[in-house]
Amino acid sequence: MRTVFFILVLANVAFFAFPWFGGGAEASGDAQIIGKQLNPEKIRLLAPEQVSALTRKPEPPKLATVCLEWGAFVGADATRAGQALELLGLGAKLAQRRQEDVAGFWVYIPPLASRQSATQKAGELKRLGVDDYFVVPDDPKWRNAISLGVFKTEEAAKARLDALRAKGVKSATSGARDTQLGKTYFQVREANATGAAKLNELKQGFAGTEVRECAPDEKKG
């Protein structure tokens, strides 16, 4: 009986001592964890602009733009090109530049049999590295001729002709031209890659025209 009595006493002592020793150790461990988690000296309050910066959505990248010029156009082709550009809805981004050439002499390829023949000849010029040209569209005498430059002096015209022949242009000639030749150029300001692609697509319907970047002094205007 005495042995059973001592066992019961030890069991009661162990039961009541556990919260003080085992439970206290666990509580002490939890307190250490909480103490490690809470560091008041490291807490920093964000200013309103910092909070706004964290929640602000990033702005989409701006697309590169450039001023593009399409031309040259003479007579009815200028009207037709203008109508095609109106369909693009360019608004204030679209402008025109007019160039009047009072030519005493010019370099040209004589009128060809049809507009298709003129277009094919323009393609040959392009392959030979000749970019400055346009097909005369509606002049009764010079329709489907290809102008390769207008000049005030005969010497300048001959110099241009020599340069063209050096590139392999054999059908060009030079001669006097006393009439005033007005050319129209269309400019598209702030054109992106999509706009440039549309201009080059329209260009296919106008032989002898080119799409290129505006001259430096024209980009601001």
Side-chain angles (χ1 to χ4, degrees):
M1 294 294 296
R2 181 176 296 181
T3 301
V4 173
F5 174 77
F6 281 112
I7 291 174
L8 292 174
V9 170
L10 290 174
N12 283 306
V13 170
F15 176 78
F16 287 106
F18 178 78
W20 293 94
F21 294 96
E26 182 179 354
S28 176
D30 291 342
Q32 290 177 1
I33 293 174
I34 294 174
K36 290 180 181 179
Q37 291 178 340
L38 299 179
N39 297 286
E41 71 281 358
K42 295 183 179 180
I43 296 176
R44 295 289 184 273
L45 296 178
L46 297 178
E49 58 271 16
Q50 292 174 308
V51 175
S52 178
L54 291 174
T55 58
R56 188 184 304 119
K57 293 182 179 180
E59 296 182 0
K62 295 182 179 180
L63 298 177
T65 60
V66 67
C67 174
L68 295 177
E69 183 173 82
W70 179 28
F73 297 96
V74 178
D77 271 1
T79 302
R80 192 162 61 92
Q83 293 171 345
L85 286 169
E86 285 180 2
L87 298 177
L88 300 182
L90 297 170
K93 293 182 179 180
L94 180 63
Q96 285 189 31
R97 180 172 70 86
R98 182 76 175 176
Q99 180 178 319
E100 301 290 344
D101 293 331
V102 181
F105 299 88
W106 70 324
V107 178
Y108 63 97
I109 295 175
L112 297 163
S114 65
R115 188 58 180 261
Q116 183 179 0
S117 298
T119 301
Q120 292 174 348
K121 179 61 69 173
E124 293 177 12
L125 292 172
K126 185 68 175 177
R127 288 191 292 273
L128 292 173
V130 179
D131 295 324
D132 189 8
Y133 63 87
F134 71 90
V135 178
V136 179
D138 55 1
D139 187 303
K141 181 180 178 180
W142 300 103
R143 182 180 289 112
N144 297 326
I146 299 178
S147 174
L148 295 163
V150 292
F151 306 90
K152 293 182 179 180
T153 66
E154 186 176 7
E155 290 75 13
K158 287 183 176 180
R160 168 65 169 166
L161 181 60
D162 290 341
L164 289 168
R165 287 178 174 169
K167 289 185 175 183
V169 182
K170 299 178 180 179
S171 55
T173 186
S174 64
R177 184 177 177 88
D178 297 327
T179 58
Q180 188 171 7
L181 188 63
K183 294 185 288 187
T184 299
Y185 295 85
F186 292 96
Q187 294 181 339
V188 179
R189 312 300 173 93
E190 299 180 8
N192 56 22
T194 301
K198 290 180 178 179
L199 280 182
N200 280 288
E201 183 178 348
L202 289 177
K203 183 192 70 172
Q204 305 307 315
F206 297 84
T209 64
E210 288 295 321
V211 175
R212 55 192 175 191
E213 191 171 346
C214 300
D217 57 342
E218 293 284 340
K219 293 179 182 181
K220 297 180 182 180

